Amino acid sequence: MTLQELTARVSQEFAKTYGRPPRWLVAAPGRVNVIGEHTDYNDGFVLPMAIERFAVMAADRSPDGNDKIWIRSVQSQAPAVLDPAKPLKPFPKGEWANYPAGVLAGFLARGIQPGGLEVLLHSTVPLGGGLSSSAALEVCTATLLEAVTGKNLDPVEKALLCQKAEHEFAGMPCGIMDQFISVMGRENHLLLLDCRSRQTDLVPMNDPSVAILIVNTNVKHELTGSEYPARRKQCETAAKILGVPALRDATADALERAKGNIDDVVYRRARHVIGEIERTIHAAEGIRAGNWPTVGQLMYASHYSLRDDYEVSCAELDAVVEIAESIGIKGGIYGCRMTGGGFGGCCVALVRANVVENITRKILADCKVKTGIDAAIFSSRPAAGATIIKG
Ligand code: GLA
């Protein structure tokens, strides 16, 4: 479904729910990270792209004139009701209302009052699949509040406001990658983001001979669990032992020299991050040069490092990567790796565009035999970041 088709549908759904057409329509994409995993909170580089899967909101003023914001979702029975008259507090952990609530809190803290709204939300970003459905929802909410109030935030401020919502309302101490790409994605480009300086570089990705495939294992992960914060702590410990502000500043040589003084787990976490930052820079160069076999090798190396050193993969993700390797360059796959936080979710594969259908069939069939899972596969061109479609 194109974005136009999706927004037309959400507009109709709004009219069915609320009995009139929406005054505002906004969308924000999910993302797939091509390479640079678990590097954002180490001040490193990431290389994500926005995908053609979106959180869309349609909205109008509330007819009863009060300041409450009602958000109904086509994916959920219970609406989220946000009342700016009372201090906003997080809802119980796991509730989707936390994402829009956290974003609204950020606007209110800046003295921006949106007033009462009726909203309909429809998201095509798979939930809990490591494709940033939560960042898409946050950025979508922020874009709606911009449209309604006519106050446009600076893109960096907007992404950071959304990250804060995730920290304080959803309880997930994420880095900056997901919100940045959902705000700043560009059609036919990847985004090379320096997570220290927050400088962004668009890397063109418009060679029609290659495609990005996203393989969803449909294994759900829970990143607000203890694993993600534990990884962050281990990285901080490693940086402290190495005497650097962040692992971005450490070298592989310095890590080897310090090996005797570092706990093995912490050592391996640092080895992943230091190697991954280098791989990300090389992959961006490879993409600019259209050197797909090199990019593919870097993607496999990233996966092994996440599997063995960072230990955030799982059996199903490993199986997808093994299947990709067995198909190989001859069969049309340059590289494949797990993407996102890990512990389930998706793999991303770089493939030859003319064999997408064969590869899709083969991966689905082999996955079923190897792991018993029903995976889902789709391809996406790099999409644009959040947009106001109407209003
Ligand atoms: C999650 C977080 C991101 C990033 C990735 C791992 O998606 O939200 O900030 O840390 O995990 O690369």
Side-chain angles (χ1 to χ4, degrees):
M1 207 185 328
T2 64
L3 181 57
Q4 268 98 336
E5 286 161 353
L6 176 61
T7 51
R9 194 155 145 194
V10 181
S11 194
Q12 279 169 10
E13 283 161 353
F14 181 94
K16 239 199 266 160
T17 310
Y18 294 107
R20 60 194 189 283
R23 178 160 158 199
W24 294 283
L25 261 174
V26 299
R31 63 101 185 93
V32 68
N33 189 19
V34 173
I35 196 164
E37 217 65 83
H38 290 279
T39 49
D40 60 351
Y41 52 84
N42 288 295
D43 278 0
F45 288 86
V46 291
L47 191 59
M49 66 178 223
I51 54 174
E52 296 159 312
R53 297 292 175 111
F54 302 89
V56 175
M57 281 179 172
D60 191 15
R61 285 280 167 223
S62 299
D64 56 13
N66 72 36
D67 276 352
K68 285 190 185 156
I69 298 182
W70 283 76
I71 310 175
R72 290 190 167 78
S73 161
V74 296
Q75 275 112 337
S76 146
Q77 290 286 329
V81 187
L82 313 178
D83 185 356
K86 300 191 196 126
L88 280 172
K89 284 196 313 273
F91 292 87
K93 213 173 180 150
E95 283 199 23
W96 64 270
N98 276 315
Y99 303 109
V103 172
L104 175 62
F107 275 74
L108 295 175
R110 285 163 176 76
I112 307 174
Q113 296 279 351
L117 293 169
E118 287 183 325
V119 184
L120 187 79
L121 162 69
H122 183 146
S123 179
T124 56
V125 187
L127 301 181
L131 300 176
S132 292
S133 53
S134 51
L137 177 49
E138 290 149 9
V139 174
C140 185
T141 307
T143 307
L144 176 65
L145 299 184
E146 287 180 319
V148 166
T149 60
K151 298 238 157 58
N152 288 335
L153 302 179
D154 165 78
V156 170
E157 184 187 3
K158 181 175 174 183
L160 293 176
L161 181 157
C162 292
Q163 182 203 25
K164 192 164 183 241
E166 179 106 20
H167 285 195
E168 293 181 359
F169 278 70
M172 155 65 175
C174 61
I176 64 171
M177 166 168 69
D178 306 344
Q179 292 79 11
F180 268 67
I181 183 65
S182 187
V183 172
M184 295 175 205
R186 182 77 67 83
E187 266 180 27
N188 295 321
H189 289 82
L190 308 186
L191 189 77
L192 180 65
L193 169 63
D194 179 337
C195 300
R196 169 168 278 165
S197 67
R198 296 176 187 147
Q199 194 192 316
T200 53
D201 250 330
L202 289 168
V203 180
M205 171 93 189
N206 49 11
D207 179 342
S209 75
V210 291
I212 293 286
L213 278 191
I214 294 155
V215 184
N216 190 349
T217 62
N218 288 312
V219 177
K220 295 275 186 264
H221 63 175
E222 187 45 272
L223 277 183
T224 41
S226 58
E227 295 287 358
Y228 188 92
R231 295 298 181 289
R232 282 196 77 142
K233 285 229 171 68
Q234 289 159 342
C235 291
E236 281 160 23
T237 304
K240 211 181 238 164
I241 295 172
L242 294 171
V244 289
L247 284 178
R248 159 75 174 272
D249 307 295
T251 62
D253 284 351
L255 179 65
E256 285 315 307
R257 282 197 299 275
K259 194 173 176 184
N261 308 325
I262 304 186
D263 166 82
D264 178 59
V265 170
V266 172
Y267 163 80
R268 287 188 291 115
R269 304 297 189 248
R271 185 164 66 180
H272 163 73
V273 172
I274 294 168
E276 185 77 354
I277 292 173
E278 260 193 61
R279 282 188 288 274
T280 306
I281 295 165
H282 288 150
E285 287 163 7
I287 290 167
R288 285 188 200 279
N291 191 348
W292 306 120
T294 299
V295 177
Q297 285 311 308
L298 291 163
M299 290 171 77
Y300 283 127
S302 165
H303 184 79
Y304 306 142
S305 176
L306 287 158
R307 180 191 64 191
D308 302 334
D309 276 354
Y310 219 65
E311 296 179 284
V312 290
S313 186
C314 65
E316 294 84 356
L317 292 167
D318 293 343
V320 171
V321 173
E322 277 161 29
I323 293 164
E325 279 191 293
S326 72
I327 297 171
I329 288 201
K330 275 210 182 116
I333 301 191
Y334 293 108
C336 181
R337 57 181 287 275
M338 57 150 279
T339 185
F343 307 106
C346 293
C347 282
V348 55
L350 178 67
V351 306
R352 268 210 321 271
N354 61 354
V355 287
V356 160
E357 271 158 39
N358 289 345
I359 290 173
T360 299
R361 264 199 303 276
K362 172 103 178 104
I363 297 178
L364 289 179
D366 286 6
C367 249
K368 184 79 184 166
V369 172
K370 254 188 138 150
T371 66
I373 58 168
D374 286 309
I377 301 189
F378 64 97
S379 76
S380 177
R381 303 298 309 166
T387 40
I388 299 175
I389 288 149
K390 181 179 176 193

